[in-house]
Amino acid sequence: MGEALTPKHMRTDLFASRHIGINEHDTQVMLRKIGVSSLDELIDKVIPANIRLKEPLALPEALSEYEFSKHIAGLAAKNKRYATYIGMGWYDTITPPVVQRNVFENPVWYTSYTPYQGEISQGRLEALLNFQTAVCDLTAMPLANCSLLDEATAAAEAVSMMYALRSRAQQKAGANVVFVDEQIFPQTLAVMTTRAVPQGIELRVGKYTEFEPSEEVFGCMLQYPNASGCAEDYAGFTEKAHAADCKVAVAADILSLALLTPPGEWGADIVFGSTQRLGVPMFYGGPSAAFFATRDEFKRNTPGRIIGLSKDKYGKLCYRMALQTREQHIKREKATSNICTSQALLATMASFYTVYHGQEGITNIASQIHSITASLEKHLKKLGYTQVNQQYFDTLRFVLPDHLSAAQVRTIALSKEVNLRYFENGDVGFSIDETTDIAALNVLISIFAIAAGKDYQKVEAVNKVSTISGPLKRTSSFLTHEVFCKYHTETEMMRYIKRLDRKDISLAHSMISLGSCTMKLNAAAEMLPLSCPEFMSMHPLVPEDQAEGYRELIHNLSEYLKVITGFAGFSLQPNSGAAGEYAGLRVIRAYLESIGQGHRDKVLIPSSAHGTNPASAIQAGYDIVTCACDKEGNVDMADLRAKAEEYKESLAALMITYPSTHGIFETEIREICQIIHACGAQVYMDGANMNAQVGLTNPGFIGADVCHLNLHKTFASPHGGGGPGVGPIGVAEHLTPFLPGHVLFGNSQNQVSAAPFGSAGILPITYGYICMMGTEGLTQATRIAILNANYLATCLQDTYGIVYRGATGFVGHEMILECRKIFEETGITENDIAKRLMDYGYHAPTLSFPVHGTLMIEPTESESLAELNNFVDVMLNIWKEIQEVKDGEADKVDNVLINAPHPEYEAVSDQWEHSYTRKKAVYPIESVRNNKFWINVARIDNTLGDRKLLPTQYGTFD
Ligand SMILES: *Cc1c(COP(=O)(O)O)cnc(C)c1O
């Protein structure tokens, strides 16, 4: 009884039905429960009619997974893999296969969330503490954070930090100058400039040898080895700067520090840079993790997250995020940085690279690179070239003989599929990396020999040598902790990684219903292309014709994002949502200046906003005006009008999240935009909640001028345990001339990242998501995300209660669960509920944001009805447990909530002194047995680790 295969049959493999967890039958069941007759009716009730799109999104027809795999392979094939020695902050590297397969390609690592919930994050916390330890060892600094976005933004953070640390005298004198040595990478200087200007900080570029301290200089910025590759001895300079009360920040090549005296040993105050070459592919510029190390006394001013040691309530040593439950520096108006999502997954990879290689391995890699470089210097000198770097690690710079031009060398190099570095003054150079072998060395020699018109002899072997001498030669040891000594075989390494990943809850285990963070499926078909060598090992500064695959992908993706958001232009440069906010505000500032409105210096932000909004506005040099919310959680229109009127002349922008951080589609959004525009100000939309808009409405249509997207929320890119993220910005037509440029592509305006396209390497994920979902799939995803949230709201409204609802009584794509009454009645907090969820195998929803004493739940479209129902069962069972405390059935001080989570070692211990059973503690409902997540540590002591900050593996509490 065979049916004929119609084209429709052949497309039953459509990806949307794999991505979306709810089918037609489930939908009907859920709608009945909610009490509406159709999905259309529900959507009509949730999203105001006046902002609904009239037409479907004009996107190409959806591809199946198989079709996409062929399409993306075609794009990859358009990238040409030349041997690239451009250096300048990106170096080819060898990702240990054991790390690529077990970390980079492992959903436990890439789908986990930022480790705010320490008890179910011990694995990645340990990996990140290893990262900090490696950074501290290599730089010889006592304290490091666990990543920033890239080297250039880390430089900008260093400037802000030094500014915040000015002495009283400097503050009084209005010191506002940072001296920057001219030998700094141009992209670093460009990003520092973008950031410094609106903060009123002047960057004074000069030769460090000619630096004269003065009253207005509060900090200095050096690069080591410098932008030409020369390692200078900065000890004298640093002494001089310190004598004048100037801090010294140093951009350092982390691998070079295996051979060079680390900046911590010659007095640097801040050492930062990229860890890309520690086993992280170049990815056409990113993502990779920046490191940031400093002195212990500056810990409270350090941007980013710091992992520290602590103990659980029974005294077991454990790891946690120190100094903060959220980032310490995001303090609304008092913010000193806006870093939220950073580069956790890449920091984790770099950390495993150091663990795998250890001191000996890292030293060998560094000295192999250096020896090949030294050999090349010798051979090229013999060919008549003059090398200018007196001391170097991996980079040589040659002055060409008079009869030879760089263009001639370039032609020869390209014919051999080699990219060299061409300096502005006509010098030619190269940076050697871990992948450079004898064959590659011979190709390099041949290029220069042919250019010189001379014969050359093939080199058979390179001896291990060091040309580094005097005070620049490192003598101290590093990576001496046992973690860097134990895992040098693949078996041991594989098991170490596995031991850590078993300690972490990720999407591979259960739903992570984090409101505002949109933890949806990161599909394998979207992730696979990342492992494609043509995407992995591509330097961001290769000639464009070698990166056609990337260029086409970037072009297509930008076009699709324009369609989805209703905007005229896009920049993919920002490396996180907060970086997008910052970039968007800089675009607004540039536009206002261009129309003679540069005096506008205030940004209006509702009190419910995410902390990064005010933090970004402060970084962009704006003053914050806070606008109140009414008791329904909406922007208080009367207050908005009043503030808009009051600051009519000085308002630059409104920053608004839509649907609101309360998960509600405010009906007045159009009016809000009009009020702001009427003042001559711009509307910035925070697009973190875009998952509730795609296909149904969009920021351009609503009337916003700028919006950032979080590709790591709405567009299926994974969270990586706290990064990488991508925070592209879309802008309306009038703002397109001000989008970020890149200094090495001829225009440095508003540049916000080191690489021209930010984290280009992970764009195939979002590209795949859009290609495979298509218009219908994307729109259906939005509808189902809203259905799922309303279903959970219906299931939980009679117990916990839902804090805010929209005008017609429904929620958007997320909802806020009331927990404040529970606390009043029983003393049990939302934090206790969060910890108790771990015993059931769940990661907590968003805690105490945006409303204190609540949990915010966002199920996303990817979860199945079975999973939603299981989560409801769990929440209702926890509700029962709360009632037992309330009714006096359970002890007020010894109950399953206050004691949660219950670690395995407690459950199996010979002593059990609780007033309830072990079974109730660890198998509270039957379904838990099927998917038990064994917790490794009991509740973590949050204050111990802050009283004594121990940011490396060497720390002890004794
Ligand atoms: C996540 C989020 C941000 C910040 O994004 P990052 O990528 O973490 O920098 C900003 N606003 C809202 C509402 C968010 O949910």
Side-chain angles (χ1 to χ4, degrees):
M1 287 265 290
E3 264 180 86
L5 282 175
T6 66
K8 191 152 175 278
H9 273 97
M10 294 178 72
R11 298 188 61 86
T12 51
D13 60 342
L14 266 188
F15 174 75
S17 67
R18 303 288 190 190
H19 175 87
I20 298 173
I22 302 296
N23 63 26
E24 183 50 38
H25 177 260
D26 301 333
T27 304
Q28 295 312 321
V29 172
M30 294 162 77
L31 287 168
R32 268 200 298 282
K33 174 98 187 173
I34 297 168
V36 289
S37 59
S38 72
L39 193 49
D40 286 339
E41 183 190 336
L42 176 67
I43 299 303
D44 288 345
K45 292 200 151 140
V46 170
I47 306 183
N50 70 340
I51 59 165
R52 287 288 295 277
L53 295 177
K54 307 283 179 285
E55 300 289 330
L57 300 173
L59 294 170
E61 196 184 341
L63 301 179
S64 70
E65 293 188 9
Y66 182 65
E67 287 165 341
F68 176 69
S69 75
K70 285 193 292 184
H71 171 65
I72 198 80
L75 288 185
K78 293 186 184 177
N79 287 335
K80 298 191 189 114
R81 294 181 66 201
Y82 283 21
T84 298
Y85 304 96
I86 298 171
M88 298 187 78
W90 293 272
Y91 310 87
D92 213 350
T93 182
I94 299 169
T95 309
V98 63
V99 174
Q100 178 172 337
R101 172 147 293 206
N102 297 288
V103 180
F104 183 64
E105 296 169 350
N106 179 347
V108 175
W109 290 96
Y110 68 71
T111 71
S112 59
Y113 184 60
T114 311
Y116 295 117
Q117 297 292 335
E119 294 85 355
I120 48 166
S121 314
Q122 289 295 299
R124 53 197 191 278
L125 285 165
E126 179 166 335
L128 292 172
L129 195 82
N130 291 344
F131 175 82
Q132 292 177 185
T133 308
V135 168
C136 287
D137 276 8
L138 283 159
T139 58
M141 299 299 283
L143 174 74
N145 72 12
C146 70
S147 80
L148 289 178
L149 298 175
D150 64 21
E151 178 163 315
T153 51
E157 297 288 341
V159 169
S160 300
M161 181 168 143
M162 292 191 290
Y163 187 71
L165 286 168
R166 288 175 307 163
S167 69
R168 207 149 281 148
Q170 286 169 331
Q171 289 179 30
K172 233 168 112 197
N176 72 332
V177 175
V178 175
F179 172 82
V180 184
D181 182 57
E182 63 183 9
Q183 283 289 337
I184 191 161
F185 287 144
Q187 71 271 18
T188 307
L189 183 60
V191 173
M192 281 165 65
T193 305
T194 301
R195 291 277 286 270
V197 170
Q199 294 182 325
I201 297 171
E202 181 193 331
L203 302 177
R204 194 169 291 167
V205 181
K207 288 188 189 351
Y208 84 95
T209 45
E210 294 166 7
F211 168 66
E212 284 307 329
S214 65
E215 221 189 14
E216 72 268 24
V217 181
F218 65 86
C220 305
M221 179 74 62
L222 304 167
Q223 187 170 323
Y224 182 69
N226 72 17
S228 289
C230 184
E232 304 272 351
D233 180 358
Y234 295 124
F237 171 90
T238 303
E239 220 170 282
K240 188 161 141 189
H242 282 166
D245 215 5
C246 285
K247 306 260 178 325
V248 176
V250 182
D253 177 333
I254 191 118
L255 189 56
S256 76
L257 302 184
L259 306 182
L260 293 169
T261 302
E265 291 176 13
W266 43 261
D269 300 290
I270 298 171
V271 188
F272 65 90
S274 167
T275 59
Q276 179 266 313
R277 68 191 308 178
L278 301 181
V280 177
M282 290 185 285
F283 285 131
Y284 202 40
S288 58
F291 67 93
F292 191 98
T294 186
R295 298 175 185 275
D296 183 66
E297 61 260 42
F298 304 147
K299 60 176 175 254
R300 302 257 165 212
N301 294 82
T302 304
R305 296 186 272 265
I306 303 170
I307 310 304
L309 294 169
S310 191
K311 289 181 178 173
D312 76 4
K313 69 170 183 174
Y314 299 118
K316 182 178 177 185
L317 206 63
C318 61
Y319 308 98
R320 65 177 282 272
M321 269 167 58
L323 295 178
Q324 63 239 342
T325 43
R326 290 197 86 85
E327 288 64 18
Q328 58 166 351
H329 47 265
I330 302 184
K331 293 172 287 201
R332 292 195 68 97
E333 292 75 19
K334 293 192 210 71
T336 51
S337 162
N338 65 343
I339 291 281
C340 184
T341 288
S342 54
Q343 302 279 15
L345 184 68
L346 298 313
T348 298
M349 287 175 69
S351 99
F352 281 124
Y353 180 94
T354 59
V355 165
Y356 196 41
H357 290 303
Q359 165 160 261
E360 202 185 318
I362 297 281
T363 307
N364 282 339
I365 291 165
S367 59
Q368 176 193 310
I369 290 171
H370 178 68
S371 302
I372 290 177
T373 313
S375 164
L376 280 160
E377 182 191 34
K378 197 177 71 190
H379 288 289
L380 267 57
K381 270 185 176 164
K382 267 197 249 161
L383 291 169
Y385 295 92
T386 311
Q387 205 282 119
V388 301
N389 291 338
Q390 290 207 326
Q391 299 250 27
Y392 55 82
F393 164 55
D394 65 348
T395 300
L396 301 176
R397 175 172 179 159
F398 295 94
V399 180
L400 299 184
D402 286 342
H403 60 86
L404 192 62
S405 75
Q408 288 167 291
V409 179
R410 188 187 195 117
T411 304
I412 300 162
L414 286 175
S415 75
K416 294 183 178 283
E417 306 201 334
V418 168
N419 295 313
L420 301 173
R421 176 156 170 212
Y422 304 98
F423 290 85
E424 255 177 47
N425 73 341
D427 290 357
V428 175
F430 46 76
S431 296
I432 299 308
D433 61 59
E434 186 185 1
T435 68
T436 315
D437 55 14
I438 303 290
L441 168 138
N442 279 309
V443 173
L444 282 167
I445 296 174
S446 75
I447 291 167
F448 284 88
I450 293 168
K454 295 194 178 161
D455 282 341
Y456 65 99
Q457 273 230 302
K458 222 167 169 189
V459 176
E460 299 293 341
V462 167
N463 293 329
K464 200 166 148 180
V465 293
S466 175
T467 66
I468 301 164
S469 60
L472 287 180
K473 196 179 174 76
R474 179 166 192 150
T475 54
S476 56
S477 56
F478 53 90
L479 303 183
T480 54
H481 188 271
E482 64 167 8
V483 75
F484 302 108
C485 307
K486 289 195 337 202
Y487 309 114
H488 296 174
T489 67
E490 178 159 340
T491 302
E492 285 296 332
M493 188 66 190
M494 173 179 72
R495 289 180 189 155
Y496 179 52
I497 294 170
K498 182 68 191 167
R499 271 207 303 286
L500 297 192
D501 85 33
R502 286 177 53 202
K503 296 176 182 175
D504 287 13
I505 283 187
S506 69
L507 285 177
H509 188 87
S510 53
M511 166 165 83
I512 301 182
S513 62
L514 276 158
S516 206
C517 291
T518 316
M519 302 287 288
K520 60 166 64 174
L521 170 75
N522 318 117
E526 295 151 3
M527 301 301 295
L528 280 176
L530 273 56
S531 297
C532 190
E534 286 77 13
F535 285 126
M536 286 175 111
S537 60
M538 173 129 307
H539 193 287
L541 303 177
V542 298
E544 282 179 43
D545 66 343
Q546 292 173 27
E548 273 175 24
Y550 259 121
R551 293 274 171 163
E552 192 174 326
L553 187 153
I554 287 165
H555 171 80
N556 292 351
L557 177 57
S558 302
E559 291 303 311
Y560 299 166
L561 293 177
K562 283 192 218 167
V563 169
I564 290 169
T565 56
F567 279 129
F570 248 89
S571 168
L572 301 177
Q573 202 178 82
N575 284 322
S576 72
E581 292 169 18
Y582 180 79
L585 290 169
R586 290 294 276 128
V587 167
I588 288 175
R589 177 179 274 272
Y591 165 72
L592 290 173
E593 280 167 3
S594 79
I595 57 165
Q597 294 289 310
H599 59 275
R600 292 180 175 265
D601 63 352
K602 294 196 173 49
V603 171
L604 190 56
I605 302 179
S607 60
S608 61
H610 193 269
T612 54
N613 288 188
S616 298
I618 293 286
Q619 295 303 301
Y622 287 115
D623 291 335
I624 313 291
V625 177
T626 303
C627 168
C629 288
D630 66 18
K631 62 180 191 310
E632 274 83 50
N634 298 321
V635 169
D636 181 331
M637 290 301 285
D639 194 45
L640 180 92
R641 277 204 190 85
K643 297 270 162 65
E645 184 56 33
E646 183 178 352
Y647 298 103
K648 203 176 164 86
E649 302 303 324
S650 58
L651 199 61
L654 163 78
M655 292 184 89
I656 187 162
T657 306
Y658 198 74
S660 74
T661 48
H662 297 147
I664 305 300
F665 285 88
E666 287 148 309
T667 47
E668 294 99 342
I669 186 69
R670 273 250 155 89
E671 204 183 333
I672 291 173
C673 294
Q674 280 153 12
I675 293 169
I676 298 304
H677 285 148
C679 300
Q682 300 281 295
V683 175
Y684 183 99
M685 191 173 277
D686 178 328
N689 287 343
M690 193 68 200
N691 208 45
Q693 290 193 32
V694 178
L696 300 176
T697 180
N698 70 42
F701 186 63
I702 291 169
D705 303 289
V706 194
C707 171
H708 81 261
L709 303 175
N710 296 62
L711 299 194
H712 48 298
K713 293 178 179 173
T714 312
F715 291 95
S717 198
H719 282 247
V726 182
I729 53 170
V731 298
E733 188 72 47
H734 62 288
L735 297 178
T736 52
F738 308 98
L739 282 170
H742 192 277
V743 63
L744 296 166
F745 288 87
N747 159 18
S748 65
Q749 79 169 358
N750 297 325
Q751 187 179 332
V752 292
S753 297
F757 303 103
S759 292
I762 52 175
L763 298 178
I765 305 168
T766 294
Y767 184 61
Y769 177 65
I770 296 173
C771 287
M772 292 189 285
M773 291 292 274
T775 299
E776 266 175 58
L778 289 171
T779 311
Q780 182 68 356
T782 311
R783 287 149 51 95
I784 297 295
I786 291 171
L787 173 72
N788 286 359
N790 279 284
Y791 179 74
L792 289 186
T794 305
C795 294
L796 299 172
Q797 64 191 8
D798 298 334
T799 46
Y800 297 85
I802 309 303
V803 179
Y804 298 118
R805 288 173 187 279
T808 55
F810 293 89
V811 300
H813 66 308
E814 60 190 2
M815 97 223 54
I816 299 177
L817 210 58
E818 184 60 86
C819 303
R820 290 168 294 194
K821 222 168 96 231
I822 296 171
F823 176 67
E824 281 164 26
E825 291 175 355
T826 63
I828 288 163
T829 65
E830 71 280 12
N831 190 48
D832 295 325
I833 298 171
K835 301 300 176 194
R836 181 58 175 157
L837 273 165
M838 298 172 183
D839 285 330
Y840 290 83
Y842 278 106
H843 190 292
T846 299
L847 198 66
S848 303
F849 172 80
V851 182
H852 222 79
T854 66
L855 294 169
M856 181 158 60
I857 300 176
E858 178 183 355
T860 84
E861 72 279 6
S862 298
E863 297 301 333
S864 68
L865 182 54
E867 181 69 357
L868 295 179
N869 283 336
N870 191 58
F871 182 72
V872 169
D873 284 350
V874 166
M875 288 306 292
L876 293 180
N877 211 61
I878 292 178
W879 177 257
K880 232 168 65 197
E881 293 169 353
I882 296 168
Q883 298 314 301
E884 289 165 6
V885 178
K886 185 177 157 193
D887 299 345
E889 250 173 83
D891 195 303
K892 276 224 164 349
V893 290
D894 180 40
N895 59 60
V896 287
L897 288 133
I898 285 184
N899 292 333
H902 297 84
E904 180 179 26
Y905 74 82
E906 180 184 28
V908 301
S909 127
D910 288 341
Q911 269 128 28
W912 180 260
E913 277 150 16
H914 295 307
S915 59
Y916 46 90
T917 64
R918 289 182 155 99
K919 175 164 175 270
K920 188 171 173 100
V922 300
Y923 289 138
I925 53 174
E926 236 5 70
S927 65
V928 175
R929 288 180 191 270
N930 210 11
N931 193 24
K932 180 64 186 172
F933 183 84
W934 283 110
I935 294 153
N936 193 251
V937 295
R939 200 177 295 192
I940 296 170
D941 184 336
N942 267 332
T943 49
L944 176 73
D946 282 355
R947 281 201 303 273
K948 185 173 179 188
L949 176 61
L950 300 171
T952 72
Q953 288 287 14
Y954 301 105
T956 70
F957 283 102
D958 318 317

